[in-house]
Amino acid sequence: GVKKHAKALCSTCLEDICERKSYYPVLSISICLWSCGVLAGDVCGLQALRLIFSPGFWRQDFTKATFSMVYHMCASLQVEETLPMEDITGWWESRQCYEEGTAITGLQTESLSERLRLKRIPHLANVMVPARAGYAEPGVRGDIVVEELQLVIEVEGPQRLCIPLPQVLAEVGEETDIYGQYPEVISAVQRNVECNIAGPAHFKRRILQRCGWRVITCTFDENEEYIADALQTMVRVKTKDGAEGQEEKEEVSEKEEEVDGSAEAKVGKEGGQVSQKDATDDELEAPALTQETSGFEAAISDPLGEFEDETAGPKIDLNVELSEYESRVRKAHAKAMKELQRRVLEERGNAAASGQYLDHVEFRDWQVGLEREVFREMCESVLA
């Protein structure tokens, strides 16, 4: 099926577009890049860069929606292979369109955010998720971000859930009729079988987890009050543990100061402790941070509206000379493609002689693994 051979399918589609780009409209090209970013990510990085680096790629008439689709693949390469894509032509225009296209408020996200405000849980609502120390920036939006817990809550509507039909039939039987609108069917199914999240939702989790964030899902039919209560408990426990750890540090500091006979320093330490405690209490009771106070751009993602903007996208100034970094990446990529072609031709000759692969699908599965290996070698040479 598609899930089993998704990486091979993505690689094949990208290779075909690269060979016959003039036959494909810009919408089809963008959809393919978006799908490959979601399904395969950096596994198809070599073929994706081949397409993006192809002559005239950025001269096509991209809309804001198609720019946003291309951004998904670029974000995957930046996070999963730590390849600095922000220095590549088209990155900032694509990111701008992604941020604008995902800035539509979801009603359930607003509702959950309001409950967290009432519980006085500090959180960021509808933001480009910030980078954690030691990790790359995710470059994707998060519905609810609780930085204190390194936690992102993704609010998913019925359109982001998939019905596992074999499990449903095995659980409820083929004689049982389940019908109605999609949300009603999903709710009925979830009473017996847990539904899987769709590809785009799984893509965000993959990126966020790679960047050091914990991710939980709040589906459209879950109890928001229960989630808010659980988060409130987690924040209180963390705050209490932090306060106890701080008290231990203060006790050690005070003993050291007593030994040194530094009374003035001791007073200063005690004053600092009181100030820190007050600050902790203020933080616990803080409402959801706004765009101005958080320092991060605030917006909310509506999955259904993400790719609906058909207005013309921003224009890229192609008369500007390529940066030194992009020139180096392009040269390394061209070298990697030659190496890939050499290894593929060598394997084809061996396979024809030995009958090693039963069909072309098996061969493409092998080739996509080779592409990933060559791509990683390319990235290491660029980042060295």
Side-chain angles (χ1 to χ4, degrees):
V2 173
K3 186 175 181 180
K4 181 179 179 180
H5 301 290
K7 297 178 176 64
L9 175 63
C10 290
S11 173
T12 304
C13 291
L14 286 172
E15 183 177 339
D16 186 67
I17 291 177
C18 291
E19 296 290 342
R20 304 185 302 146
K21 192 174 67 173
S22 60
Y23 288 87
Y24 290 90
V26 65
L27 179 60
S28 298
I29 293 173
S30 302
I31 290 174
C32 185
L33 282 170
W34 170 72
S35 302
C36 292
V38 168
L39 294 173
D42 62 322
V43 176
C44 294
L46 203 64
Q47 297 292 351
L49 286 182
R50 180 187 176 190
L51 179 56
I52 292 173
F53 288 161
S54 63
F57 178 80
W58 292 115
R59 295 187 184 279
Q60 301 175 97
D61 295 327
F62 286 96
T63 64
K64 289 185 176 181
T66 52
F67 261 123
S68 181
M69 291 177 186
V70 174
Y71 175 77
H72 282 72
M73 173 56 77
C74 295
S76 173
L77 296 181
Q78 171 137 312
V79 169
E80 297 182 296
E81 286 297 337
T82 63
L83 194 65
M85 293 297 293
E86 68 269 13
D87 296 325
I88 300 296
T89 301
W91 162 270
W92 291 109
E93 291 80 3
S94 300
R95 174 156 177 156
Q96 174 189 341
C97 293
Y98 169 80
E99 291 186 12
E100 293 175 357
T102 55
I104 302 175
T105 301
L107 295 178
Q108 190 179 0
T109 303
E110 280 189 331
S111 175
L112 178 58
S113 179
E114 184 61 29
R115 286 188 181 275
L116 297 184
R117 289 191 185 97
L118 294 175
K119 296 286 185 180
R120 299 187 180 280
I121 300 174
H123 67 282
L124 299 168
N126 322 311
V127 296
M128 296 294 290
V129 179
R132 291 193 59 205
Y135 293 91
E137 181 195 3
V140 295
R141 284 202 185 279
D143 293 329
I144 303 291
V145 179
V146 186
E147 289 190 276
E148 188 174 356
L149 301 175
Q150 296 91 47
L151 180 70
V152 176
I153 304 173
E154 284 297 296
V155 181
E156 305 297 1
Q159 71 278 0
R160 287 294 182 95
L161 299 176
C162 300
I163 298 175
L165 191 57
Q167 292 93 316
V168 173
L169 294 178
E171 186 70 25
V172 304
E174 296 186 12
E175 294 78 14
T176 304
D177 292 331
I178 301 177
Y179 56 89
Q181 295 184 349
Y182 193 63
E184 298 170 349
V185 174
I186 287 286
S187 296
V189 167
Q190 290 213 122
R191 297 191 191 104
N192 302 287
V193 178
E194 183 177 357
C195 292
N196 302 319
I197 56 175
H202 187 269
F203 166 79
K204 287 182 68 175
R205 279 153 186 75
R206 192 178 79 217
I207 295 296
L208 290 169
Q209 289 170 353
R210 197 68 171 266
C211 293
W213 290 92
R214 294 185 296 169
V215 186
I216 62 173
T217 300
C218 175
T219 58
F220 69 101
D221 56 351
E222 285 191 86
N223 189 324
E224 296 174 0
E225 187 67 24
Y226 172 78
I227 293 177
D229 287 342
L231 287 176
Q232 188 178 43
T233 301
M234 292 171 68
V235 170
R236 284 177 176 172
V237 169
K238 187 172 181 62
T239 303
K240 180 181 178 182
D241 292 343
E244 290 177 352
Q246 183 64 29
E247 287 176 1
E248 291 178 2
K249 291 181 181 179
E250 295 296 337
E251 289 177 2
V252 172
S253 298
E254 289 173 5
K255 289 180 180 179
E256 291 175 351
E257 290 160 3
E258 288 175 1
V259 172
D260 294 338
S262 177
E264 292 182 1
K266 180 179 178 181
V267 172
K269 286 288 183 179
E270 290 174 349
Q273 182 178 353
V274 172
S275 299
Q276 185 169 12
K277 184 178 185 302
D278 292 342
T280 303
D281 292 340
D282 290 343
E283 183 181 2
L284 182 61
E285 296 179 359
L289 300 179
T290 62
Q291 176 178 346
E292 292 76 17
T293 58
S294 69
F296 302 108
E297 182 174 354
I300 292 185
S301 173
D302 174 9
L304 293 180
E306 187 171 342
F307 301 128
E308 291 183 353
D309 193 347
E310 294 301 320
T311 57
K315 296 298 180 182
I316 300 176
D317 187 0
L318 299 175
N319 296 320
V320 178
E321 186 176 352
L322 296 178
S323 66
E324 180 182 350
Y325 169 77
E326 182 170 353
S327 298
R328 189 167 74 252
V329 173
R330 286 175 177 261
K331 289 179 182 178
H333 179 265
K335 182 179 178 180
M337 287 302 303
K338 290 181 180 179
E339 176 63 17
L340 173 66
Q341 186 177 24
R342 183 191 68 79
R343 295 192 197 180
V344 168
L345 290 175
E346 180 181 336
E347 183 69 14
R348 279 179 178 170
N350 295 337
S354 63
Q356 180 178 354
Y357 302 100
L358 295 177
D359 52 31
H360 187 63
V361 174
E362 282 195 12
F363 183 80
R364 291 301 306 202
D365 282 333
W366 168 84
Q367 181 174 323
V368 79
L370 176 62
E371 288 177 7
R372 187 175 194 178
E373 179 182 340
V374 173
F375 181 59
R376 286 186 169 175
E377 292 173 358
M378 185 207 87
C379 292
E380 290 175 0
S381 67
V382 170
L383 298 173

